[in-house]
Amino acid sequence: MEPSREKGQSGISLIEVIIVMAVIAVMVRMGMPSYGAWIGNQQIRAAAESITGAVNKARLEALKRNGRVMFQLTDAAAMGSAWRICPVAQGAIVCDPAQAVIEARDGGEESGAVTVGVSADLGTVAAGAMAAPLAAGGIPGGVIFEGRGRPVIAAGFNNAVRIDVRNTRLPAADERRLVIVIGAGGGVRSCDPRAVAPDPRTCG
């Protein structure tokens, strides 16, 4: 006996497929701007973490070697986040060509997207000053640590006290600029100018 064909066949119709695809397309279009902003801000964070870690490493190397070590941002052409850590001869203010570079990094995956601004002006780390972004530039710039882990005070060299990491491809409303502050004692911290207390990431 043949099975009854009175019941409708299971499955989905072409119209249903088209409706589902249209809904997915709308959802993707709505999500793309926020996803792009997330990616752009992750690039800022990666560069800021890299720079903060490198400044700390330069300081630790100075303590370990009981001598001068420099952290230096090097991408003057693109104003990017490339850097190096190198020994500095006693009394000098440049990398010692007789010694190997301790560590170096190119712009990484964020190369071409992230820009960096460097300042040696103490006024840029005053209360309220970090609300205004630094212009990209000031590279090469960095800090030289002496054997006790403090920034060197030397004629002809101005230690960086603030580094802004930005992604100017993002709209200003979406960009989460990060600021790296290097203290007089050599300590370094990263902060978010848009964070508010009691968030520990606030710039104060």
Side-chain angles (χ1 to χ4, degrees):
M1 218 174 154
E2 272 188 39
S4 172
R5 299 195 183 187
E6 291 177 5
K7 292 183 180 178
Q9 294 181 345
S10 62
I12 54 176
S13 70
L14 181 60
I15 292 174
E16 290 171 323
V17 171
I18 292 170
I19 291 170
V20 169
M21 289 177 67
V23 169
I24 291 171
V26 169
M27 291 176 68
V28 168
R29 286 195 64 140
M30 289 174 63
M32 279 180 70
S34 59
Y35 180 70
W38 181 81
I39 290 292
N41 285 314
Q42 284 299 110
Q43 291 173 325
I44 292 174
R45 184 162 298 281
E49 287 176 352
S50 169
I51 292 169
T52 302
V55 176
N56 274 321
K57 178 162 187 174
R59 184 178 185 229
L60 289 172
E61 285 289 335
L63 287 164
K64 184 171 73 174
R65 295 164 182 249
N66 192 27
R68 293 186 175 188
V69 173
M70 176 191 285
F71 161 81
Q72 185 180 51
L73 288 154
T74 57
D75 191 2
M79 294 177 287
S81 58
W83 52 259
R84 67 178 172 177
I85 300 169
C86 57
V88 175
Q90 192 62 32
I93 55 172
V94 296
C95 292
D96 187 349
Q99 299 187 64
V101 170
I102 297 166
E103 190 173 338
R105 181 183 187 268
D106 61 17
E109 291 181 7
E110 65 276 7
S111 180
V114 166
T115 60
V116 175
V118 185
S119 176
D121 181 359
L122 288 171
T124 61
V125 293
M130 284 180 276
L134 294 176
I139 301 172
V143 56
I144 300 174
F145 294 101
E146 45 100 274
R148 292 174 297 173
R150 298 172 64 88
V152 166
I153 298 173
F157 188 87
N158 295 316
N159 289 301
V161 295
R162 173 178 162 185
I163 301 168
D164 276 23
V165 184
R166 305 190 62 193
N167 188 334
T168 50
R169 292 181 179 178
L170 294 175
D174 294 335
E175 183 191 38
R176 292 304 294 256
R177 170 175 59 99
L178 293 177
V179 177
I180 298 158
V181 179
I182 303 164
V188 58
R189 69 184 182 96
S190 176
C191 64
D192 181 348
R194 288 172 60 178
V196 293
D199 190 326
R201 297 173 300 166
T202 183
C203 289

